[in-house]
Amino acid sequence: MENIKKIGVLTSGGDAPGMNAAIRSVVRCAISKNIGVIGIKRGYEGLLSGEIFEMNPRSVSDIIHRGGTFLLTARCSEMMSDEGVARAHKICNILALDALVVIGGDGSFHGAQKLSKLGTNVIGIPATIDLDLDCTDYTIGFDTAINTGMEAINKIRDTSSSHERCSLVEVMGRHAGHIALWCSITGGAEEVLIPEMNGAVNMESLIRQIFANRSKGKTHNLIIVAEGVGNTAKMAKEIEKITGIETRATILGHLQRGGSPTAVDRMHASIMGYTAVEALANAKRNRVIIFKDGKYDDIDIDEALAAEKPYDNKMYEIIKTLAT
Ligand code: F6P
């Protein structure tokens, strides 16, 4: 295979703190190897509409500390169709891209995987606050998101204890409970509800626990709910109606997606960007950068997307034990 001369870089799907640090790393590492970089705005949408510009090392100045993504992002419905993917592939050829670097999560990588089948060389850098990619132990943005969640829970705990209330805190995660599990352990919650644990909430058992916590002398009942579980506000009303204990719901929502990335996120983003360019320089094709068992590596994109990440039941046991 000929040397890589030009790559495109885009961020796609839900933004994640640290995406900017990853773009910066890709751009500067590539240019240091005499590889030209084309910045693509708004993810695949910008690729399809030709929103591109040439990047240089100064294009990524002053962004390492910023949340969000300065390349902008989108969830591109056109990439769900074969026609959209074919058009994206054609545009990559017209732009003479030797590779497309996709910084994003599961959905973005599925788009990249489809492009790879048509012959576009793709390389994925995992960035999503959800931590829901089985191939890697870390996805850029997770640490910042759980720290934001934990700090919010600390504050809710203060007021919840003062009023002896029950508090439901909804964190992000439509399909995955990793944020909820981490926020529950680090926030010292009494209970966690996640979509992976068979969907429907057992209200009777929840109510029994709330009463039991009261009788143990606890002044609060902190229940962390992953977004995908259901209607948190409705659940809070139901709990209050049955128990007679004042209950409040707080939806953290998109608050968790913003903010300056933590040192952990900046480190992973910088090293993953570097690793991606190294892989390209070594003529690798269609890879995803991973952090597994303490080491950075790259694996085939089909292998990377083969399995769904399971939740760690041990974490649930720990939450329950520590809530005693
Ligand atoms: O995938 C990241 C994520 O923040 C999920 O946790 C959440 O369910 C979803 O994106 C929200 O998406 P949107 O920003 O499009 O509402």
Side-chain angles (χ1 to χ4, degrees):
M1 188 184 138
E2 281 184 28
N3 281 348
I4 294 262
K5 294 190 198 75
K6 185 157 70 158
I7 61 172
V9 59
L10 58 80
T11 48
S12 161
D15 62 345
M19 276 183 162
N20 278 328
I23 302 165
R24 172 180 178 268
S25 175
V26 168
V27 171
R28 293 197 174 163
C29 292
I31 290 171
S32 76
K33 291 183 188 297
N34 293 317
I35 299 171
V37 186
I38 298 295
I40 300 161
K41 288 192 150 188
R42 295 186 182 80
Y44 293 114
E45 267 187 26
L47 178 66
L48 291 165
S49 58
E51 290 180 86
I52 61 164
F53 65 104
E54 207 161 306
M55 299 183 87
N56 64 56
R58 296 283 72 72
S59 315
V60 288
S61 293
D62 283 331
I63 62 166
I64 193 167
H65 59 297
R66 292 203 201 136
T69 160
F70 95 109
L71 282 179
L72 311 179
T73 187
R75 299 191 194 277
C76 177
S77 52
E78 203 179 335
M79 279 297 282
M80 309 292 262
S81 71
D82 292 347
E83 294 75 28
V85 177
R87 212 159 73 71
H89 167 65
K90 206 176 235 177
I91 292 169
C92 287
N93 281 346
I94 293 168
L95 297 175
L97 298 182
D98 296 311
L100 180 67
V101 179
V102 175
I103 303 172
D106 189 59
S108 309
F109 287 0
H110 276 103
Q113 185 184 33
K114 287 186 211 155
L115 275 173
S116 74
K117 302 293 174 220
L118 299 183
T120 298
N121 182 18
V122 294
I123 187 141
I125 297 181
T128 163
I129 65 163
D130 289 347
L131 195 73
D132 59 347
L133 284 165
D134 188 50
C135 58
T136 180
D137 293 341
Y138 196 74
T139 59
I140 298 163
F142 182 70
D143 187 64
T144 309
I146 53 163
N147 274 290
T148 301
M150 181 190 71
E151 279 163 25
I153 293 163
N154 287 345
K155 290 174 182 163
I156 291 165
R157 170 192 285 274
D158 288 344
T159 169
S160 191
S161 298
S162 303
H163 286 265
E164 298 175 274
R165 281 174 174 158
C166 173
S167 290
L168 269 61
V169 185
E170 184 184 293
V171 297
M172 274 195 158
R174 261 199 290 253
H175 308 290
H178 308 290
I179 296 177
L181 290 167
W182 279 70
C183 282
S184 297
I185 294 189
T186 59
E190 271 70 39
E191 181 58 283
V192 61
L193 306 173
I194 60 172
E196 294 95 323
M197 290 176 84
N198 300 326
V201 174
N202 184 335
M203 194 49 93
E204 282 180 20
S205 129
L206 194 59
I207 300 289
R208 269 196 299 276
Q209 283 179 60
I210 291 168
F211 282 137
N213 289 337
R214 261 292 151 90
S215 63
K216 283 179 203 156
K218 283 184 179 249
T219 50
H220 55 73
N221 261 293
L222 277 171
I223 301 167
I224 311 302
V225 188
E227 184 190 0
V229 168
N231 189 329
T232 306
K234 199 170 148 216
M235 213 187 303
K237 283 207 176 86
E238 208 175 327
I239 291 170
E240 180 168 293
K241 202 169 157 202
I242 302 173
T243 62
I245 298 171
E246 274 192 317
T247 304
R248 297 286 187 268
T250 306
I251 319 285
L252 298 187
H254 288 83
L255 194 77
Q256 295 152 100
R257 283 242 296 265
S260 180
T262 59
V264 168
D265 275 322
R266 295 181 202 194
M267 276 297 280
H268 281 296
S270 301
I271 299 172
M272 284 181 173
Y274 178 93
T275 312
V277 176
E278 285 280 290
L280 289 173
N282 289 328
K284 302 238 180 128
R285 292 185 64 82
N286 306 324
R287 314 296 285 176
V288 166
I289 303 305
I290 59 164
F291 179 71
K292 201 84 183 166
D293 303 324
K295 289 199 185 78
Y296 296 91
D297 204 350
D298 57 84
I299 61 167
D300 183 80
I301 192 160
D302 293 336
E303 192 191 332
L305 294 176
E308 286 201 3
K309 197 184 192 81
Y311 81 96
D312 183 354
N313 194 53
K314 189 95 191 161
M315 286 184 77
Y316 184 71
E317 282 171 35
I318 293 169
I319 292 160
K320 298 310 294 172
T321 308
L322 300 186
T324 311

